[in-house]
Amino acid sequence: MDVRQLRALVTVAEAGSVTRAAELLHLVQPAVTRQIRTLEQELGVALFERTRQGMQLTAAGTTMVERARRALNELERARAEIRPTPGVVGGIVSVGLLDSATSLLAEPLASAILRDHPGIDLRLLTAYSGHLQHWLDDGDLDLTLLYNLSSTPSLNAQPLVRERLWAVASPSAGLRAEHPVPFEEAVSHPLVVPAAGHGLRTVIDAAAAQARAELNLVVQTNSMHVQKQLVLAGHGWTILPGIGIAEDVANGSLSAAPLGEPEVWRSIVLCTSRAGRVTPAAEVVAKELSRQIHAAVRQGRWPSAELHGAGPAKDA
């Protein structure tokens, strides 16, 4: 097994055909076919099913591609670290951003890194907290934002900010930032919320238990966009962090108010894995991401958020 075979495997899986993979790898088609067959013979299993629709991964192939992609990424990282440009911080850094925070943080973070550290190959992945933690555990991320998590034997967690959750409804509901909505009143409306097991849903369920209130669920989804879309269509209210609905409230497409009785908060932390070394490039990106978050809160661009260890931030 060698690097060429692994690269051929991953490229065929992504391209869906040997012909297209050969073009991408700048090889002749028989060479790519030979690399795949040699790898299958060594492993003793079929990695692809040859169909009229193209090359379809088998179960064994799916597992192998996942591991091969990770191995190739690690080799690429090693090359960047071993042969750096003198005086320049470089290498691949994969960063996880919470779906709700992406619009606020992705562009400023990328702009700062591209401007100040062009040797860093920045890769931004967005998802919900549970997915991001899984990717960090698997080594697919160097650092990530997560919420409601403390340091564990496998993770280092640096608290950054906590933010209040808001009741969100159509404009006709007339919700206003200066008039908090009691939690029990908010959840008495038909609710569109994340599915059970999702981190935000866990926070909502805990608040419901504290308030001894029952959630009036109508739709559960794993998409913040779908939550807002269904609220706009008149299917009920939802509960989201202020950062996720600031633009919608500003342009009048949604109305929102912070939850009260009890107030409901989530904390956001910056996590790295204890299992591997944090590279100089990853340290640079982590520092810049933390700086961007602090700036967003202090400038009032992160609604009803407070920096860790600081007093209340300005509401937007």
Side-chain angles (χ1 to χ4, degrees):
M1 188 182 303
D2 60 32
V3 172
R4 290 175 299 174
Q5 292 170 343
L6 298 182
R7 189 169 288 117
L9 170 67
V10 171
T11 306
V12 171
E14 293 175 347
S17 77
V18 173
T19 301
R20 178 57 180 153
E23 294 173 357
L24 294 171
L25 294 168
H26 305 290
L27 296 171
V28 295
Q29 184 174 332
V32 177
T33 299
R34 184 168 58 253
Q35 288 170 346
I36 297 297
R37 285 179 176 168
T38 301
L39 188 56
E40 289 180 321
Q41 289 170 359
E42 180 176 343
L43 294 171
V45 295
L47 300 174
F48 291 96
E49 293 179 359
R50 283 75 172 171
T51 71
R52 291 184 178 180
Q53 289 73 38
M55 301 284 280
Q56 304 293 323
L57 285 167
T58 62
T62 299
T63 298
M64 191 63 194
V65 165
E66 180 182 338
R67 302 297 183 183
R69 185 180 287 117
R70 191 168 299 156
L72 292 171
N73 284 339
E74 287 301 313
L75 287 172
E76 194 173 347
R77 291 174 193 272
R79 288 193 186 99
E81 292 176 33
I82 291 170
R83 296 184 299 187
T85 303
V88 175
V89 177
I92 300 169
V93 181
S94 296
V95 182
L97 296 178
L98 294 164
D99 191 47
S100 58
T102 301
S103 61
L104 183 68
L105 299 174
E107 190 281 325
L109 175 64
S111 293
I113 296 301
L114 290 171
R115 181 188 66 238
D116 299 332
H117 302 282
I120 292 178
D121 181 355
L122 184 65
R123 303 182 180 184
L124 300 178
L125 288 79
T126 65
Y128 285 118
S129 185
H131 292 138
L132 293 174
Q133 184 174 351
H134 178 71
W135 295 342
L136 182 64
D137 289 339
D138 284 350
D140 295 324
L141 293 175
D142 296 293
L143 58 128
T144 187
L145 296 179
L146 298 174
Y147 58 79
N148 288 14
L149 190 73
S150 57
S151 293
T152 68
S154 63
L155 297 176
N156 286 311
Q158 174 192 350
L160 293 177
V161 67
R162 70 174 195 143
E163 62 176 335
R164 198 168 173 181
L165 297 188
W166 292 51
V168 183
S170 65
S172 61
L175 300 181
R176 299 178 62 85
E178 60 269 26
H179 297 299
V181 175
F183 183 86
E184 189 171 6
E185 177 186 338
V187 300
S188 68
H189 292 270
L191 285 179
V192 180
V193 296
H198 181 279
L200 182 57
R201 175 64 182 278
T202 301
V203 175
I204 295 170
D205 286 346
Q210 181 181 347
R212 296 184 179 179
E214 185 173 345
L215 305 180
N216 182 12
L217 304 180
V218 291
V219 178
Q220 300 179 55
T221 175
N222 66 347
S223 167
M224 184 177 69
H225 173 72
V226 172
Q227 283 179 256
K228 295 192 287 188
Q229 188 178 46
L230 293 178
V231 171
L232 279 169
H235 294 295
W237 289 24
T238 191
I239 295 173
L240 286 169
I243 192 175
I245 45 90
E247 291 184 10
D248 305 277
V249 172
N251 65 30
S253 59
L254 292 171
S255 67
L259 290 168
E261 303 176 29
E263 296 180 358
V264 185
W265 297 78
R266 73 171 184 176
S267 60
I268 294 180
V269 299
L270 179 59
C271 286
T272 56
S273 174
R274 294 184 189 270
R277 182 174 69 91
V278 179
T279 66
E283 290 178 352
V284 165
V285 174
K287 186 175 181 179
E288 181 59 36
L289 179 56
S290 178
R291 192 186 74 79
Q292 292 292 340
I293 289 173
H294 278 69
V297 175
R298 286 175 176 151
Q299 294 167 10
R301 293 183 285 116
W302 194 316
S304 60
E306 298 178 1
L307 293 172
H308 178 71
K314 174 184 175 183
D315 282 355

